Amino acid sequence: VNRILSASAMPEAIRDYFATGRADRPGETFDADRMSEEIQGLLKLHTNLDFSAYKPDLVQRRIARRQELHGFRSVEEYRQLLLANPAALDELYEDLLIGVTQFYRNPEAIATLRDSVLDVLVAGKEDDSPIRVWVPACASGEEAYTIAIELSEAIRVAGSARRFRIIATDVHRRSIDRASAGVYGEEALTRMDPDLRDRYFVRHRDQYVVEPTLRQKLIFSVHDALADPPFMHLDLISCRNLLIYLNNEPRSRIISM
């Protein structure tokens, strides 16, 4: 979607599109340096989050999308809206925090994780301390719960008494609140084996709630992986929702931490 308009405003928008082609190339309507210095500065003041660590093309696309949705011809008009309207800044902030996560996203990757890592951890840990996993940028929690389910299954199949703890973090408070609640619609669980779904979720009307015993093994917390100290004494870090969106320098900084 490039524009949300009343029917009476659509002819002019279509005429603009054929005149400028702007809907196909929103990134060409503003200067990237100016965007970085001014709009990202406004976001940092408003949210205390530095988006300069994110890939510029990704940030520019999100800004262009919001500019188009509000119907502005220039980024300067959009910047003026952001200066005057905190709700517009919140919209852009939500757009930039990309919550691309699913239960059993890329099933072949989850299968490899299970065979190469989780089964090995369950079988090979020498003491009785719990397995500790950190999932930064957990968004609404699906990846963290997927790992919890697979760890539980690895322990069950091995007949082990091994314990585990998963720390799942994100900079976005609303995402953490949703993940912590552990309530998902039926469509969110379509990739999951029905036996696993019935074992680890309780159906309540048209939604599924994470089974309490599993939920107790996860800690959800607001945390900025770029700015806050990292968690220590870990057996596994799963950051597939984070590294792909960062520039080289902050990515290297996170890996070094």
Side-chain angles (χ1 to χ4, degrees):
V1 174
N2 297 101
R3 302 278 291 275
I4 297 175
L5 303 166
S6 64
S8 61
M10 289 180 184
E12 182 182 358
I14 293 169
R15 187 163 54 246
D16 287 346
Y17 168 75
F18 281 107
T20 66
R22 255 186 332 116
D24 273 347
R25 299 184 297 277
E28 295 177 3
T29 63
F30 58 87
D31 182 275
D33 292 337
R34 181 178 181 183
M35 174 275 297
S36 179
E37 292 175 5
E38 299 186 10
I39 292 183
Q40 289 192 42
L42 292 174
L43 280 167
K44 187 172 183 179
L45 285 172
H46 184 68
T47 67
N48 202 33
L49 191 62
D50 185 4
F51 283 99
S52 65
Y54 287 60
K55 291 180 179 176
D57 288 351
L58 183 153
V59 177
Q60 290 172 26
R61 284 197 302 271
R62 290 297 191 270
I63 289 175
R65 177 176 180 272
R66 278 287 146 198
Q67 177 188 330
E68 291 281 344
L69 286 173
H70 282 285
F72 292 123
R73 294 175 179 272
S74 73
V75 70
E76 176 58 26
E77 292 177 307
Y78 182 52
R79 189 182 73 87
Q80 291 298 325
L81 172 71
L82 295 176
L83 282 167
N85 189 345
L89 273 170
D90 285 332
E91 287 176 351
L92 180 57
Y93 171 64
E94 296 280 346
D95 239 13
L96 285 164
L97 294 175
I98 304 161
V100 180
T101 185
Q102 298 172 333
F103 288 104
Y104 286 85
R105 177 186 176 197
N106 304 127
E108 67 282 0
I110 301 300
T112 300
L113 178 69
R114 170 70 179 274
D115 294 340
S116 302
V117 180
L118 302 183
D119 285 346
V120 175
L121 283 175
V122 169
K125 205 166 171 67
E126 295 178 355
D127 55 36
D128 62 355
S129 62
I131 296 167
R132 284 172 53 85
V133 179
W134 178 24
V135 183
C138 70
S140 47
E142 288 90 333
E143 180 182 357
Y145 285 119
T146 297
I147 294 174
I149 289 168
E150 286 300 303
L151 255 177
S152 298
E153 284 295 291
I155 290 168
R156 184 179 69 84
V157 170
S160 169
R162 176 69 62 199
R163 296 172 294 129
F164 69 86
R165 177 71 69 192
I166 294 178
I167 304 162
T169 64
D170 201 279
V171 296
H172 190 218
R173 164 61 67 183
R174 265 180 272 179
S175 293
I176 286 294
D177 290 343
R178 184 183 173 197
S180 185
V183 179
Y184 299 93
E186 187 170 5
E187 71 284 353
L189 278 70
T190 54
R191 292 172 179 263
M192 190 181 298
D193 183 293
D195 290 339
L196 294 179
R197 181 195 63 199
D198 295 342
R199 187 174 297 140
Y200 294 103
F201 290 82
V202 178
R203 181 156 193 165
H204 180 67
R205 296 177 183 169
D206 59 343
Q207 294 184 309
Y208 285 87
V209 183
V210 175
E211 193 271 328
T213 303
L214 183 70
R215 173 64 188 84
Q216 291 168 8
K217 296 173 181 176
L218 294 95
I219 298 171
F220 290 97
S221 176
V222 175
H223 178 274
D224 185 349
L226 283 163
D228 298 329
F231 294 91
M232 307 298 287
H233 309 297
L234 300 163
D235 298 290
L236 170 67
I237 303 172
S238 177
C239 46
R240 61 200 308 218
N241 286 334
L242 177 62
L243 296 182
I244 59 174
Y245 298 116
L246 299 178
N247 290 323
N248 290 336
E249 188 278 327
R251 186 191 303 133
S252 298
R253 179 155 39 97
I254 281 187
I255 291 172
S256 72
M257 288 191 296

